[in-house]
Amino acid sequence: MERLGSLEGCGRCLRHHRVIGYESSCIGVKEKPVLEHGGSVRKVARELGVDPKNWLDLSTGINPLGWRVPEIPALVWNRLPENEDGLEDAAKLFYGCRHLLPAAGSQAIIQTLPRLRRGGSVGIVAPTYAEHAHAWRKEGFDVVELEDVSLSILDQLSVLVVVNPNNPTARLIPKATLLSWWRRLQAHGGWLVVDEAFMDADAGESLSGDTGGEGLLVLRSIGKFFGLAGARVGFLLGSRTVLEAAQEYLGPWNVAGPARWVATAALTDHHWHIETRNSLAHKAQRLTHLLGEHGLIVAAKTALFQWVPNHDAMSWWERMARSGVLVRRFDHPRGLRFGLPGDESQWHRLSTVLTSITPDMAHSR
């Protein structure tokens, strides 16, 4: 994963960074009134006239061989969700934290946090997952995109949001740097919000174990590493003060009982955790090699997705899509994000499609 380690970085003050609108002047992602996400197979299939059943979806960064869900006991469906069912304890052990709050996916937390503060400037280390900026802007905050983070900029922010490792570029900011940013923000009552949705496969730089004090908030999710995106279970790690305020806003039973049961079982399957981390590391290397063989050079990667900067991203995306392979395309910065294939048939299909279109793409250059 690419690392961003400079604390001083850009010395420009906040007024030189344009507020995020539908098109940003800095390096961040162009935003639209309706934000786009990976996994929109049916939409793309309809537009291109390809049967949705025939697609290989590599657009999400979700583990394609996720945790296998066993039969859920009937009683779990019959009862209201209960906080004493073991989920919180299992999650605290897995993440190594003192306090956390389950929610219906980290997206619910992203939309809740802006409602727990009053005004101010919010910095987003960009380019990154666009829902963060969207949520803060909707609540009336001035949102600025930041390529670099300096001490002078931190002093002007109420909140700094970092996705680590980053989506889509896989940039990884060292833990020591983030902790220094947190201390600077904490000094004037600010927050550091770190979205660690892709941290589970290699948590060496995670801040989860450092949460508990005021001003440091970490988001975690079982959707990516565990491959359980449909369960909609995420966690907010932080101080009791913020967690209680978030709980008050979210209300009771915000995570369904069956989802709580599945999340608890997955978080406590330690043997699966070890096997899966090893397997993902091997698959990530395999994907890097395969892409490189076809002229797609990986600039940075996580265990679950790989970032390929490419000026011909639109052409690559369209040619693959017409062959029934969906990857995620970004225009700002221009590039492609590849998730992992699952079984051998999917690896073979990706290889075949790349082999078929690479000569034409090379000729076009």
Side-chain angles (χ1 to χ4, degrees):
M1 288 179 274
E2 177 190 357
R3 289 173 177 264
L4 177 68
S6 170
L7 178 63
E8 291 301 330
C10 170
R12 293 174 293 174
C13 63
L14 214 52
R15 65 176 178 273
H16 291 126
H17 294 270
R18 184 171 300 181
V19 175
I20 297 177
Y22 291 135
E23 184 171 354
S24 136
S25 63
C26 292
I27 66 162
V29 177
K30 259 188 184 177
E31 292 193 85
K32 301 176 182 179
V34 178
L35 302 182
E36 297 179 356
H37 300 279
S40 304
V41 172
R42 290 184 178 86
K43 176 185 176 185
V44 178
R46 183 174 63 252
E47 292 173 351
L48 297 181
V50 179
D51 188 337
K53 297 178 182 178
N54 295 330
W55 282 84
L56 170 57
D57 184 10
L58 305 179
S59 68
T60 65
I62 295 169
N63 185 355
L65 299 174
W67 189 77
R68 283 175 165 262
V69 178
E71 183 177 353
I72 300 174
L75 183 63
V76 176
W77 296 97
N78 299 144
R79 296 179 60 85
L80 287 170
E82 296 182 88
N83 292 338
E84 295 78 20
D85 60 1
L87 174 59
E88 283 81 357
D89 289 339
K92 288 175 186 177
L93 181 62
F94 183 80
Y95 298 124
C97 66
R98 290 177 286 171
H99 313 297
L100 56 72
L101 174 68
S106 54
Q107 182 62 39
I109 300 168
I110 290 171
Q111 294 175 201
T112 296
L113 290 180
R115 297 170 182 179
L116 307 183
R117 287 194 68 100
R118 295 182 179 178
S121 295
V122 177
I124 310 281
V125 179
T128 197
Y129 183 56
E131 289 286 352
H132 287 285
H134 185 64
W136 288 96
R137 188 177 62 246
K138 273 175 50 178
E139 297 303 317
F141 289 82
D142 294 330
V143 179
V144 293
E145 295 173 322
L146 302 170
E147 178 179 0
D148 298 296
V149 178
S150 68
L151 295 178
S152 60
I153 287 176
L154 288 171
D155 290 342
Q156 299 173 65
L157 295 175
S158 298
V159 178
L160 177 65
V161 178
V162 181
V163 179
N164 203 47
N166 189 44
N167 174 20
T169 65
R171 175 200 62 230
L172 183 68
I173 302 177
K175 178 177 179 177
T177 299
L178 292 173
L179 288 174
S180 65
W181 293 355
W182 166 46
R183 287 189 286 268
R184 191 79 179 196
L185 289 160
Q186 186 188 44
H188 60 268
W191 285 358
L192 174 64
V193 178
V194 185
D195 184 342
E196 295 186 349
F198 287 97
M199 187 66 81
D200 290 348
D202 184 1
E205 298 296 335
S206 172
L207 266 63
S208 294
D210 298 282
T211 57
E214 296 297 334
L216 177 59
L217 302 171
V218 172
L219 283 61
R220 300 295 292 258
S221 167
I222 68 166
K224 305 300 190 293
F225 174 72
F226 290 96
L228 296 171
R232 306 310 305 144
V233 180
F235 300 92
L236 175 61
L237 286 58
S239 69
R240 288 185 179 274
T241 303
V242 173
L243 298 185
E244 288 171 1
Q247 176 67 82
E248 180 69 20
Y249 178 81
L250 291 168
W253 312 310
N254 73 89
V255 179
R260 291 181 63 97
W261 187 91
V262 168
T264 303
L267 289 165
T268 54
D269 191 346
H270 306 299
H271 180 70
W272 186 89
H273 304 162
I274 296 170
E275 280 194 341
T276 301
R277 289 188 176 108
N278 292 334
S279 175
L280 289 175
H282 172 74
K283 288 180 171 62
Q285 284 299 109
R286 182 179 179 180
L287 181 58
T288 301
H289 180 72
L290 176 60
L291 295 175
E293 286 183 327
H294 295 88
L296 295 167
I297 307 304
V298 174
K301 63 187 177 183
T302 71
L304 291 167
F305 69 83
Q306 313 209 357
W307 171 246
V308 179
N310 193 291
H311 290 297
D312 295 325
M314 180 63 190
S315 298
W316 277 100
W317 179 88
E318 185 174 1
R319 292 299 301 275
M320 284 188 286
R322 292 192 180 281
S323 299
V325 176
L326 183 62
V327 299
R328 190 74 196 279
R329 187 193 82 244
F330 294 86
D331 297 326
H332 302 278
R334 193 170 297 175
L336 301 167
R337 189 190 70 191
F338 288 79
L340 295 174
D343 58 27
E344 285 302 317
S345 67
Q346 294 184 358
W347 283 98
H348 177 73
R349 183 173 180 187
L350 175 60
S351 178
T352 300
V353 169
L354 290 174
T355 299
S356 69
I357 68 177
T358 296
D360 291 340
M361 293 303 301
H363 179 73
S364 69
R365 293 196 293 269

